[in-house]
Amino acid sequence: MPSDLLLVLPLLLPLYGALLCLAFWQREQWQTVMAGIFQVAWLVAGMILLQRVLEAEVISTQVGNWPAPFGITLAADVLSALILVTAGVIGLAVYLFSLQGLDITRRRFGYYPLLLLLQMGVAGVCLTGDLFNLYVWFELLLICCFALLSLGGTKGQLEGTLKYVTINFLASGLLLTGIGIMYSLYGSLNLAELAMLVRQPEHPNLPLLSMVSVFFLAGFGIKAAIFPLFFWLPASYHTPPVAISAFIAGLLTKVGIYTLIRLFTLLFISDLGFMLPLMVVLAALTMLIGVIGAAAQTDFKKILSFHIISQIGYMLMGLAIYTPLALAGSVFFIVHNILVKTNLFLISGIVAQRYRTSSLKRLGGVYLQQPMLSVLFILSALSLAGTPPSSGFWGKLMLARAGLEAGEYVLVGVSLFVSIITLFSMTKIWNEVFWKPRPVSVRKGSLVTPVNPLRLWQLYLPVTMLLGVILLIGVYARPLVRISEQAAERLLHIEPYTDTVLSNKAVK
Amino acid sequence: METLLPLMVGTLFAVGMYFILHRHLFKVILGLILFGLATNLFLFVIGGLTRGGSAIISGEQQVATEPYADPVPQALLLTAIVIGFGIQAFSIVLIRRVYMTFKSNNVDDLNKENEHH
């Protein structure tokens, strides 16, 4: 397959999928079939792209055939393809879950097209080679996310979406401001050309670059939920049904971190002496505050929401240490975390659907009734906490080793301490939801939804699938570690990226 | 103009921010719109203000004659206006739904509702 097509397919497939779904508006069976076909196709397209960039390192194309840096550049390296594949895996899992896990009204009124368009936005953010297009793709992704969060319009959802919309609008404003300043300083928006320009030490505007970087750190910091910009996350992520929140919670903050990693390795390298110590502090505080917040919660989904913040700290930690091993650790951790977090959210959805609550005080005794689900949960939870030999362990091992090598002892100490608290928090969920007997007051009401074996099996399927991938990464980590190292290598040595993008002139 | 516009941008940012932090939902809408306007105006100003110099290249020439207005910030601006319009339209509908559902236009009432559960 030509590389031009490979780069465009992850954008076109969800778009066509969404359009076809819209053509079958309200006919939910047809929509389901269409969305399923395009989910699989998207995953396959991502996999082919990953395989290609593992050989060719960077591939790029110019949409509309205008030569770079004037045209619309699409470029993929190992990191972007890896995020795409991971997004494809959870997209498929969430799709499978939604077949039984989401009510028919939401599925009829636009769930599938919105999910597909959201995936198109994610693919656009990963593949774009242009700073302004990055902003446009992010807006596309966000507006689908707004609509998905408020789909159904229950009270909690509306309240959560309002907060989410307002804070993200502010973040987008900051980004746009930063992009404007960047253009006025360097006169270009193409990432590859900018990367060349900011590496010229004699450029008169170089000292002003750190000001721009603060705009991007704040803007994407809000979207990635970094301390102290995370308060919107636990206020909005637990409100929609789990088939929606699992995808959003699993992926979107990591897309923010991906962009930060991309920009701070490609563009804002001139003032790392100031930015990296700042990021070390931010990473440590993000981890700590997230996990402390989780300890105070008594709601299954809210605990998981706070853990998203805490894990974002680990990903930022890799960027803050800024060595090849640390960045590789970050990349590995992002992949691991997208999978595990989505899986835990899906499990919380199965529990909430059966018992009609996600409050720890009203749940209990799930282990007796659904031992299979309990096993699925405990394996995912241990993976999140990072006990060996799970996938989380390898990510944390890489990060901790890189931290010790770089002499960041306090940061490593904090990260290990946070791991223990994470384990404590997961044990709390295990004790309260699965292990303790069901509260007597609740038992009388008998709110348990009757089990239909086929239905239950359909809910277990995506969770088992994701857990299979997580366990595979855990026991057989070497391939993913190697891919992560390759991705980190590309991040720190950008010559192949700039060469490929800028030499890719228009075909006559 | 060069001194007036930055002052206006600053004022718009400040007023927009103030309104977004307001507890009245209608003022949140105003805040979102003003903040969007501030960003757009900022983008326009920082692209450089050139009067009466269009970037249109006439027949025989290869490049536009100096001084000409840089068309890129204007293109960005147009895109940003459209995107901002979309998001503002969505948030107005959202806030209307919030108002209809909660029967209140006070942000504080939203949280009260939450504590009852």
Side-chain angles (χ1 to χ4, degrees):
Chain A
M1 217 188 280
S3 61
D4 299 349
L5 191 61
L6 272 184
L7 280 166
V8 181
L9 267 185
L11 303 171
L12 285 188
L13 283 175
L15 178 65
Y16 287 148
L19 289 177
L20 275 173
C21 283
L22 287 178
F24 292 105
W25 186 247
Q26 293 208 21
R27 265 173 285 174
E28 153 274 334
Q29 279 176 333
W30 280 101
Q31 284 195 34
T32 311
V33 174
M34 290 295 156
I37 294 170
F38 280 95
Q39 289 289 356
V40 175
W42 200 59
L43 177 59
V44 172
M47 281 174 166
I48 299 174
L49 183 69
L50 179 63
Q51 203 218 345
R52 176 67 63 89
V53 289
L54 282 177
E55 293 159 9
E57 294 190 333
V58 181
I59 56 174
S60 82
T61 183
Q62 314 296 335
V63 180
N65 225 4
W66 294 90
F70 307 109
I72 298 168
T73 306
L74 294 179
D77 66 353
V78 181
L79 177 57
S80 39
L82 194 59
I83 304 268
L84 265 186
V85 172
T86 321
V89 172
I90 69 158
L92 188 61
V94 168
Y95 163 77
L96 288 174
F97 184 86
S98 75
L99 297 178
Q100 285 299 332
L102 193 69
D103 53 294
I104 191 131
T105 326
R106 285 194 174 89
R107 280 161 57 201
R108 200 173 280 164
F109 289 98
Y111 171 73
Y112 291 121
L114 282 171
L115 188 65
L116 282 166
L117 287 174
L118 179 58
Q119 287 169 307
M120 179 170 91
V122 172
V125 170
C126 290
L127 294 179
T128 185
D130 183 289
L131 203 53
F132 189 73
N133 286 356
L134 180 72
Y135 161 80
V136 175
W137 287 117
F138 238 104
E139 290 306 284
L140 176 82
L141 173 161
L142 279 174
I143 202 148
C144 297
C145 189
F146 297 161
L148 269 179
L149 280 177
S150 60
L151 189 68
T154 61
K155 274 191 174 180
Q157 275 181 286
L158 287 175
E159 188 206 343
T161 315
L162 183 62
K163 292 169 185 164
Y164 189 82
V165 169
T166 316
I167 190 78
N168 273 296
F169 189 80
L170 286 181
S172 302
L174 289 178
L175 287 183
L176 200 53
T177 315
I179 292 169
I181 304 177
M182 195 71 191
Y183 180 76
S184 71
L185 293 184
Y186 283 98
S188 175
L189 288 166
N190 187 291
L191 287 177
E193 200 193 12
L194 280 174
M196 308 272 273
L197 288 172
V198 297
R199 280 170 175 74
Q200 293 172 353
E202 70 278 9
H203 200 285
N205 287 333
L206 195 61
L208 292 171
L209 198 62
S210 34
M211 176 187 66
V212 187
S213 69
V214 172
F215 275 101
F216 282 91
L217 182 64
F220 285 117
I222 290 178
K223 289 171 201 280
I226 289 170
F227 175 87
L229 309 165
F230 62 83
F231 293 96
W232 56 270
L233 192 148
S236 59
Y237 269 11
H238 66 284
T239 54
V242 95
I244 293 169
S245 62
F247 189 80
I248 292 173
L251 195 56
L252 287 205
T253 46
K254 283 77 178 179
V255 175
I257 278 285
Y258 158 81
T259 326
L260 277 181
I261 291 179
R262 171 73 73 209
L263 293 181
F264 276 86
T265 51
L266 202 56
L267 300 187
F268 306 124
I269 41 128
S270 63
D271 203 15
L272 288 178
F274 170 72
M275 292 311 283
L276 292 186
L278 178 67
M279 280 191 203
V280 167
V281 176
L282 290 180
L285 284 172
T286 311
M287 285 186 230
L288 261 182
I289 304 288
V291 88
I292 291 171
Q297 297 299 321
T298 54
D299 183 284
F300 200 156
K301 285 194 210 169
K302 273 201 173 177
I303 293 178
L304 292 179
S305 296
F306 271 100
H307 275 294
I308 297 176
I309 301 164
S310 158
Q311 322 271 251
I312 286 292
Y314 284 94
M315 298 164 203
L316 193 62
M317 173 179 167
L319 181 60
I321 298 170
Y322 214 81
T323 59
L325 183 62
L327 283 172
S330 238
V331 174
F332 189 98
F333 202 84
I334 289 176
V335 173
H336 139 80
N337 201 251
I338 292 176
L339 297 169
V340 173
K341 189 57 75 180
T342 310
N343 208 19
L344 284 171
F345 260 89
L346 291 181
I347 292 168
S348 84
I350 299 179
V351 172
Q353 206 182 31
R354 181 108 194 271
Y355 299 90
R356 293 183 196 165
T357 176
S358 61
S359 159
L360 296 191
K361 285 176 188 150
R362 298 170 58 81
L363 284 167
V366 177
Y367 179 65
L368 271 180
Q369 292 176 331
Q370 285 166 294
M372 169 78 176
L373 187 65
S374 314
V375 173
L376 293 174
F377 170 79
I378 198 71
L379 287 175
S380 307
L382 288 177
S383 188
L384 184 80
T387 48
S390 63
S391 56
F393 171 71
W394 301 112
K396 284 178 184 173
L397 181 69
M398 285 161 88
L399 286 170
R401 233 184 88 191
L404 292 179
E405 278 170 12
E408 298 282 358
Y409 301 113
V410 180
L411 185 61
V412 173
V414 169
S415 80
L416 296 180
F417 174 70
V418 169
S419 292
I420 295 174
I421 310 280
T422 309
L423 190 59
F424 154 76
S425 192
M426 289 299 125
T427 324
K428 183 168 118 185
I429 297 182
W430 171 256
N431 280 341
E432 295 285 322
V433 176
F434 295 92
W435 202 245
K436 79 166 188 219
R438 263 183 109 214
V440 183
S441 56
V442 183
R443 219 183 293 167
K444 274 180 192 156
S446 181
L447 281 166
V448 183
T449 316
V451 193
N452 175 348
L454 180 69
R455 237 183 94 120
L456 209 57
W457 180 81
Q458 281 185 319
L459 288 176
Y460 282 174
L461 177 71
V463 177
T464 321
M465 185 187 102
L466 277 181
L467 189 67
V469 180
I470 295 165
L471 289 182
L472 188 68
I473 295 174
V475 231
Y476 190 50
R478 191 65 215 158
L480 186 61
V481 170
R482 201 166 286 163
I483 294 173
S484 308
E485 280 167 352
Q486 201 180 336
E489 176 74 17
R490 273 294 67 67
L491 288 172
L492 290 175
H493 300 101
I494 60 147
E495 289 80 17
Y497 182 84
T498 50
D499 288 351
T500 315
V501 172
L502 294 176
S503 71
N504 199 344
K505 299 291 183 206
V507 189
K508 301 275 169 354
Chain B
M1 284 298 270
E2 276 82 357
T3 42
L4 185 64
L5 279 176
L7 284 176
M8 264 185 73
V9 173
T11 319
L12 276 176
F13 266 124
V15 175
M17 202 63 214
Y18 174 78
F19 275 154
I20 286 177
L21 296 174
H22 209 283
R23 65 161 67 83
H24 196 290
L25 277 177
F26 179 68
K27 289 188 179 144
V28 175
I29 297 181
L30 284 185
L32 290 178
I33 293 173
L34 288 177
F35 196 85
L37 283 180
T39 340
N40 292 342
L41 194 59
F42 178 84
L43 213 58
F44 180 61
V45 176
I46 204 161
L49 299 169
T50 314
R51 277 192 170 187
S54 68
I56 298 171
I57 304 167
S58 52
E60 306 85 54
Q61 289 168 305
Q62 289 297 309
V63 288
T65 38
E66 298 273 349
Y68 62 91
D70 189 351
V72 177
Q74 297 176 17
L76 303 188
L77 184 59
L78 281 177
T79 320
I81 289 174
V82 175
I83 293 174
F85 180 75
I87 292 186
Q88 283 155 19
F90 179 84
S91 44
I92 288 173
V93 175
L94 177 74
I95 286 175
R96 194 182 122 84
R97 270 301 284 278
V98 170
Y99 174 67
M100 283 163 60
T101 312
F102 287 87
K103 302 270 184 288
S104 158
N105 53 16
N106 192 333
V107 177
D108 291 345
D109 290 345
L110 269 60
N111 278 334
K112 261 182 222 152
E113 199 70 38
N114 215 10
E115 280 157 18
H116 282 299
H117 284 290

